[in-house]
C-alpha cells in the first residue's frame, strides 16, 4: 500500500480546492466574472475554515458569497443595496459571536475592506481595496495555520497587482498618433 508522508485531511482537500479557485478568479478581466469567482471560491473556504476551527472566517466567507452575488448586476437596485447593507453590521455581529482574539479581528478587517471593494463599479478601485483586504487575510491565515489560504492570498495579490499594473498602463498610454497616408499630398501642394 502506498502511503503519503503527511496525512491529507478534509480541511486540506477543501483548502486545495479553494486555492485552485483563487488561482482563477483574479485572472478574470470583467467585474462580474471577478465577483462570481469570489463567490464560488468562498464556498470552498467556508468548509476549509470550519474544519480548521476558524469559525469567524468561515461565517465571514458566507457574507462574502452574499455580497458578491448581490453586487453581480451592473445596476444598483434597492434589494441589492439592502442585502449589501445588511452584511455590514453582519461583520460586527459575526466577530462578536465567534470572537477568538486576533484572528477574528484580522478576518473582520479583511472583510471590511473586501466589502468596500465588491461595491465598487470600477475594477481598478476594486483591485486596490482587495489588496488592502489581502494584507489582513494573510495575517489571519498565518495565525490559523492555513497554508492553502496563505498561498491563495499570495496568488490573488500577485494577479491583482498584474491586472492593476496593466490597467494603469493603459490609462497612462498616450493617444495613438494617426498613421501617415502614403498617398496624401504634402500640405500646400495642389492636386494637378
Amino acid at each position: 500500500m502506498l502511503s503519503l508522508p503527511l496525512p491529507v485531511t478534509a480541511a486540506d482537500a477543501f483548502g486545495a480546492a479553494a486555492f485552485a479557485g483563487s488561482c482563477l478568479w483574479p485572472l478574470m478581466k470583467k467585474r462580474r466574472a471577478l465577483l462570481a469567482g469570489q463567490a464560488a471560491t468562498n464556498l470552498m473556504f467556508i468548509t476549509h475554515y470550519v474544519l480548521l476551527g476558524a469559525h469567524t472566517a468561515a461565517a465571514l466567507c458566507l457574507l462574502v458569497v452574499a455580497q458578491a452575488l448581490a453586487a453581480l448586476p451592473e445596476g444598483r437596485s434597492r434589494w441589492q443595496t439592502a442585502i449589501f447593507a445588511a452584511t455590514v453590521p453582519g461583520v460586527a455581529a459575526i466577530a462578536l459571536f465567534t470572537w477568538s482574539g486576533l484572528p477574528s479581528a484580522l478576518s473582520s478587517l479583511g472583510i471590511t475592506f473586501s466589502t468596500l471593494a465588491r461595491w465598487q463599479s470600477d475594477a481598478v478601485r476594486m483591485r486596490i481595496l482587495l489588496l488592502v483586504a489581502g494584507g489582513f487575510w494573510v495575517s489571519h491565515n498565518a495565525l490559523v495555520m492555513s497554508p492553502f489560504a496563505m498561498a491563495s492570498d499570495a496568488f490573488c495579490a500577485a494577479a491583482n497587482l498584474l491586472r492593476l499594473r496593466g490597467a494603469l498602463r493603459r490609462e497612462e498610454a498616450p493617444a495613438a498618433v494617426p498613421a501617415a497616408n502614403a498617398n496624401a499630398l504634402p500640405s500646400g501642394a495642389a492636386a494637378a
Side-chain angles (χ1 to χ4, degrees):
M1 184 166 144
L2 178 67
S3 67
L4 298 173
L6 296 173
V8 177
T9 65
D12 293 337
F14 279 97
F19 172 70
S22 295
C23 290
L24 297 175
W25 76 255
L27 300 175
M28 304 297 176
K29 292 182 180 182
K30 303 291 182 184
R31 180 184 161 280
R32 290 181 65 157
L34 284 163
L35 292 166
Q38 286 179 3
T41 299
N42 274 277
L43 288 173
M44 291 175 272
F45 268 124
I46 290 168
T47 306
H48 174 68
Y49 284 134
V50 165
L51 293 170
L52 290 178
H55 297 103
T56 302
L60 292 174
C61 284
L62 188 59
L63 287 183
V64 171
V65 172
Q67 289 174 350
L69 295 176
L72 271 175
E74 293 297 328
R76 297 285 191 256
S77 68
R78 288 183 186 161
W79 73 266
Q80 287 173 288
T81 303
I83 290 172
F84 214 84
T87 66
V88 175
V91 172
I94 288 169
L96 178 67
F97 290 117
T98 63
W99 188 256
S100 62
L102 188 56
S104 294
L106 291 168
S107 60
S108 297
L109 287 168
I111 196 173
T112 299
F113 281 98
S114 62
T115 296
L116 292 171
R118 273 183 286 285
W119 200 242
Q120 299 301 310
S121 58
D122 178 68
V124 170
R125 283 192 309 263
M126 181 185 204
R127 289 184 192 281
I128 291 169
L129 289 166
L130 286 172
L131 287 168
V132 174
F136 291 107
W137 277 110
V138 77
S139 300
H140 166 271
N141 293 327
L143 288 174
V144 300
M145 296 189 289
S146 173
F148 294 105
M150 288 188 305
S152 171
D153 295 331
F155 186 85
C156 289
N160 276 318
L161 283 170
L162 286 173
R163 288 282 185 200
L164 187 59
R165 182 175 154 222
L168 294 176
R169 279 189 173 175
R170 283 188 298 278
E171 287 179 7
E172 293 174 358
V177 177
N181 184 345
N183 296 324
L185 295 171
S187 61

